Amino acid sequence: MSPCAGLSVVELAAGTSELGLGLAGGVPGMVLADLGADVVRVVGTPAPPIDASVPWGRAWHRDKRIVVTDDRAEVLALVRDADVVLAYGPETVVEGRGLGERDLRAGNPALVYARCRPSRTAAGAIEDYGLLVEARSGFCTQLAGHRPGPIFADVRAPGVGTASLMLTSVLALLCRRARTGTGGWAETSLYDGMLATLGCMIGRSERAAPEIESYWEKGSTFPNFLYRCADGELVQVWFGGKGMYRALIEVLGDEPSAEGYYTDQMTGKLGERAARWASFFATRPRDEWIERLRAARVACEPVFGPGEMLADPHLAAIGLAVPRADRGHHDVLVGSPIAVRPTAKAAAPVSGHGVLGGLRVLDFSAFVAGPLAAEVLADLGADVIKVEPPEGEAMRAAAYAVAACQRGKRSLALDLGAPEAGPVVQRLLSWADVVLHNFRVGVAERLGIDEETVTRLNPGAVYCHASAFGPSGPRASFPGNDALMQAVTGFERAVGGAGNDPLAATWIPIDMAGGWVAAAGVLAGLRARIAQGHGQRVDTSLLGAGMLVHSGVFERDGHVVRGPELDADQTGYGPGYRIYRAAGDTWLALVVPDERAWRALRTLVPALPATYVPLRGGDADAVAREAESVLAAAFPAAPAAEWVDRLHRHGVPAEPIEPLDRDGFRRGVLDDPVNRRMGRVVAYDTADWGRFEQLGPLLRCGPEPGAGPRLMLPRVGEHTVEILAAELGMTGEQIENLLTAKVVRQLDDSPA
């Protein structure tokens, strides 16, 4: 039985744009349908004109029943007995028509109602178009493009983040409903969604070391290691694994490193190598380099465009490429990034307060995606124990990852490889409701935390493996990280723009997406455990998260259908959805959603063609390009702020682009009083950094608030003795023996 079998879900999407909401408006319902729910999508008339040539909905709404109606009574009949409502659109269309949370839950107290509201910050409200949210916040200036100035950063941050928040909230509230019998509400926005992808990017400390604070202030200076080969194709290389740096140097024939990877990174020698390696890779074709590098166990991936990976047999093998027949066409769509199946009979149900109060989570993961998933569960009220080596997990050296992914956990420092660790591990596995790790395939078996062992010791546990390429298939054993996934899933190509070299986002967005997907997977597993009375196995992957970002792209009759694509100048998708340069080197973002707005725009720019063509690539592509040229020539006549004022007075959506550097962007988020009031930003004391500010828990759920998340960052082994004694029932003598043998470590009084 599927985790969401028997659930009725209604998407209220009247008055919204597929292009504007992006993944937020379609992916939560798509994943719930993939997990077995019956999903009805309600849209009004007429369809948003700007969406006429946007094909993404064919993928996102593939298993939904579409109802086109403006009749409130018909909508109310659909939601009367629903389990879940996903509501989008302006407040005049939703709350103004009696379709808000209070209206619908009054007659259906068991309803789970998730609302994507228009975004609000101290600067005011922003319409539901991802581009406008990015412009107002200054996000368009946070990635260096192929030309000076802001760019249309096609990373889809608002859409993928909001989809993650909606899906995670709904699944968490369904778990709570199964325990209490009552529903609840969740609320988010495209602005919240954008922030949900930026956890590693936003932070500010009182006294962190200069190299730590510099990352939050100025961004990453780490090379990307993307190279063009002799055949003109591109390859992405990563060598963060043990021995990979030395192996890569040997394969390339470069001079050996006397000091090693970390020293070369600190002294700048790594950057020098990265630059000269370009000439090395230019000597052989890509396939030959990939063969040689993989033979040496160096991680690498080809750089593809969005959708090209759908043809790889591995995706079909693990369910990430799904064939469908549609009106005589053969389609291949991106499949669900979450797989859940039952294991054994379940234990007693969890009881507690809040959304996940009383839930016990064992986090063996490292790096970003796995730890972020566990942090999301902690934010929802779970008790999370982070198990890490006595010297600390691999990402302890990367303070931004610790800050973004470890909040609210307790740290147990344990040498999993030590023979004496066995009894401790077994007690931990028996204690947990959820066991989570992101080790490479085969490592968990070696460490004694594999599914078979967990199921034997704790039949009711939800076991989640958040892998790189999935648990099986031809690529299962391949190492993976954010950079490799940006390359192979088409992310870097999309950001680079038509005909340009690819660009990688530096704030590890695929890792972040992977964490949210894994959190949703765990919650789906918990919901299935409650409904079915069995423990559950959950599989997610970085590959699945990366494919989800461009899940609107699909293959039809052997050809990739991408929809709107970024131009070579990195300005946007066409005249009605892009950014423009204005006088004084100021910039603005423009959205022309319909013919009325196009006519209003023509009163300001009379030379604009009369035909409404907001996007490039359709039958009227020539007209769209002419319109772009006309507008690009007109806007430099006045500053962006003046144009935005004129456009607003004519009812045309537009926003000025804030010219913010990295420090200005983070300050704009952290110092916004609305963000602080809503909990988007939190501040608390840390042992090593003093007062620390960062993005807070972005999941806003009710009506039962619970105790709230624990605002703290655990140091290595800070809670070791507490956990061994209180949670595992070990005696003082047993604990002392483990400490003496250095199987476990308890933090001393000095800063870590």
Side-chain angles (χ1 to χ4, degrees):
M1 182 186 296
S2 300
C4 294
L7 289 178
S8 170
V9 178
V10 177
E11 284 183 356
L12 300 179
T16 64
S17 162
E18 201 95 272
L19 183 65
L21 285 173
L23 288 86
V27 163
M30 179 191 82
V31 175
L32 290 172
D34 288 340
L35 294 173
D38 176 49
V39 181
V40 177
R41 178 174 175 82
V42 181
V43 296
T45 57
I50 198 170
D51 293 342
S53 61
V54 179
W56 302 333
R58 295 178 192 169
W60 294 338
H61 311 317
R62 59 193 180 226
D63 289 320
K64 304 171 187 176
R65 179 164 63 93
I66 310 299
V67 174
V68 181
T69 182
D70 296 309
D71 187 330
R72 179 176 177 273
E74 187 175 354
V75 176
L76 288 174
L78 288 169
V79 302
R80 184 175 296 117
D81 298 319
D83 296 290
V84 177
V85 166
L86 306 170
Y88 306 88
E91 281 144 1
T92 54
V93 175
V94 181
E95 285 76 13
R97 297 176 62 206
L99 300 174
E101 177 261 331
R102 292 184 180 179
D103 302 300
L104 299 187
R105 291 193 64 241
N108 183 1
L111 179 67
V112 169
Y113 185 99
R115 176 74 164 101
C116 178
R117 287 190 182 276
S119 301
R120 285 183 174 84
T121 67
I126 312 169
E127 293 193 51
D128 273 337
Y129 294 93
L131 173 58
L132 300 183
V133 172
E134 293 173 344
R136 171 75 72 82
S137 67
F139 185 71
C140 296
T141 65
Q142 299 309 300
L143 186 61
H146 292 297
R147 55 162 176 77
I151 66 169
F152 183 111
D154 198 9
V155 298
R156 312 197 173 192
V160 71
T162 308
S164 299
L165 290 168
M166 294 276 282
L167 178 63
T168 304
S169 299
V170 164
L171 290 168
L173 289 169
L174 285 170
C175 290
R176 177 185 174 278
R177 187 180 80 161
R179 189 178 73 235
T180 66
T182 59
W185 58 265
E187 183 176 290
T188 188
S189 68
L190 290 181
Y191 180 79
D192 289 294
M194 182 188 73
L195 296 183
T197 71
L198 304 180
C200 290
M201 185 176 175
I202 305 293
R204 184 169 61 196
S205 69
E206 182 181 21
R207 60 167 187 267
E211 62 270 19
I212 293 175
E213 187 66 21
S214 177
Y215 173 82
W216 290 314
E217 181 182 359
K218 299 177 182 177
S220 174
T221 58
F222 197 69
N224 188 32
F225 306 107
L226 187 150
Y227 296 102
R228 190 169 298 281
C229 303
D231 55 358
E233 299 292 346
L234 288 154
V235 63
Q236 177 74 60
V237 181
W238 175 66
F239 44 88
K242 185 177 181 180
M244 286 188 186
Y245 185 51
R246 183 180 66 254
L248 174 61
I249 289 173
E250 291 176 357
V251 171
L252 293 176
D254 197 6
E255 61 184 57
S257 170
E259 303 294 338
Y261 173 71
Y262 289 106
T263 301
D264 283 1
Q265 181 181 342
M266 296 299 295
T267 61
K269 290 182 180 179
L270 179 60
E272 295 171 6
R273 288 182 185 273
R276 70 170 176 262
W277 285 345
S279 62
F280 289 55
F281 278 96
T283 62
R284 299 175 185 271
R286 181 172 68 185
D287 287 350
E288 185 175 334
W289 277 122
I290 288 178
E291 182 180 357
R292 289 163 61 91
L293 291 169
R294 286 179 177 165
R297 304 183 69 81
V298 176
C300 61
E301 290 294 338
V303 180
F304 289 153
E308 290 181 27
M309 188 65 178
L310 285 169
D312 191 303
H314 177 76
L315 268 72
I318 63 172
L320 278 177
V322 180
R324 293 291 176 92
D326 181 18
R327 294 169 293 181
H329 296 284
H330 174 72
D331 294 346
V332 179
L333 311 173
V334 175
S336 176
I338 298 169
V340 182
R341 61 170 172 80
T343 55
K345 286 290 183 182
V350 175
S351 62
H353 298 289
V355 179
L356 294 184
L359 187 77
R360 298 174 295 191
V361 178
L362 199 54
D363 176 18
F364 287 103
S365 60
F367 302 104
V368 173
L372 175 60
E375 180 185 278
V376 171
L377 301 176
D379 284 345
L380 289 166
D383 178 13
V384 180
I385 293 177
K386 176 175 180 57
V387 182
E388 57 185 321
E391 67 276 11
E393 70 125 298
M395 289 299 280
R396 283 280 179 179
Y400 61 86
V402 173
C405 303
Q406 306 300 351
R407 183 182 60 230
K409 305 176 186 179
R410 294 188 288 166
S411 171
L412 167 62
L414 172 66
D415 181 1
L416 287 173
E420 302 92 334
V424 179
V425 172
Q426 291 183 10
R427 292 196 193 193
L428 284 169
L429 297 178
S430 299
W431 168 87
D433 297 296
V434 174
V435 178
L436 167 69
H437 76 87
N438 61 348
F439 292 119
R440 289 175 64 178
V441 171
V443 174
E445 286 76 8
R446 189 170 72 243
L447 296 175
I449 59 170
D450 54 288
E451 178 195 346
E452 181 179 348
T453 301
V454 172
T455 301
R456 174 173 53 81
L457 294 170
N458 187 351
V462 172
Y463 180 87
C464 178
H465 184 194
S467 62
F469 283 93
S472 60
R475 289 172 170 262
S477 63
F478 285 18
N481 78 333
D482 181 88
L484 296 172
M485 295 305 169
Q486 285 197 48
V488 79
T489 63
F491 194 98
E492 291 178 338
R493 281 280 188 201
V495 178
N500 295 331
D501 282 345
L503 280 180
T506 58
W507 52 87
I508 49 179
I510 305 300
D511 269 344
M512 297 296 290
W516 283 103
V517 167
V522 169
L523 292 166
L526 286 167
R527 202 270 167 184
R529 165 174 124 157
I530 296 168
Q532 301 171 18
H534 291 76
Q536 302 289 323
R537 163 72 185 243
V538 177
D539 285 295
T540 68
S541 65
L542 280 183
L543 179 62
M547 294 300 295
L548 190 68
V549 174
H550 285 279
S551 55
V553 176
F554 58 96
E555 188 179 279
R556 168 154 288 188
D557 300 330
H559 302 284
V560 176
V561 179
R562 295 197 174 109
E565 295 184 87
L566 189 61
D567 60 319
D569 207 32
Q570 296 179 294
T571 62
Y573 297 152
Y577 203 84
R578 58 161 280 181
I579 65 175
Y580 290 93
R581 187 197 303 267
D585 203 28
T586 58
W587 289 74
L588 64 101
L590 174 71
V591 174
V592 190
D594 51 34
E595 291 90 342
R596 185 214 59 78
W598 190 266
R599 290 193 299 271
L601 183 58
R602 287 191 74 216
T603 66
L604 297 172
V605 185
L608 188 67
T611 305
Y612 173 64
V613 188
L615 305 176
R616 293 183 301 270
D619 294 337
D621 181 71
V623 178
R625 294 179 185 275
E626 179 189 354
E628 278 191 285
S629 297
V630 169
L631 292 172
F635 283 123
E642 185 176 327
W643 273 112
V644 169
D645 183 61
R646 293 180 195 172
L647 291 162
H648 283 179
R649 281 189 275 114
H650 283 74
V652 181
E655 292 292 341
I657 296 176
E658 292 293 327
L660 300 176
D661 61 10
R662 179 69 172 267
D663 185 46
F665 179 71
R666 70 160 178 169
R667 289 179 183 276
V669 173
L670 294 173
D671 296 333
D672 187 300
V674 172
N675 288 349
R676 289 179 176 272
R677 186 168 65 249
M678 294 181 67
R680 290 169 175 157
V681 172
V682 294
Y684 53 96
D685 293 324
T686 63
D688 299 323
W689 304 337
R691 195 68 174 167
F692 179 59
E693 301 164 283
Q694 67 172 161
L695 296 178
L698 294 168
L699 294 156
R700 294 191 295 276
C701 304
E704 184 184 351
R710 183 185 309 186
L711 296 179
M712 52 83 76
L713 293 177
R715 291 184 288 166
V716 181
E718 183 174 351
H719 308 93
T720 295
V721 171
E722 169 192 316
I723 292 167
L724 295 177
E727 309 302 340
L728 306 188
M730 302 187 77
T731 66
E733 181 181 359
Q734 289 173 317
I735 294 171
E736 187 60 36
N737 289 339
L738 291 170
L739 289 167
T740 301
K742 298 184 178 181
V743 176
V744 300
R745 171 193 172 191
Q746 170 66 28
L747 179 75
D748 58 27
D749 293 332
S750 60

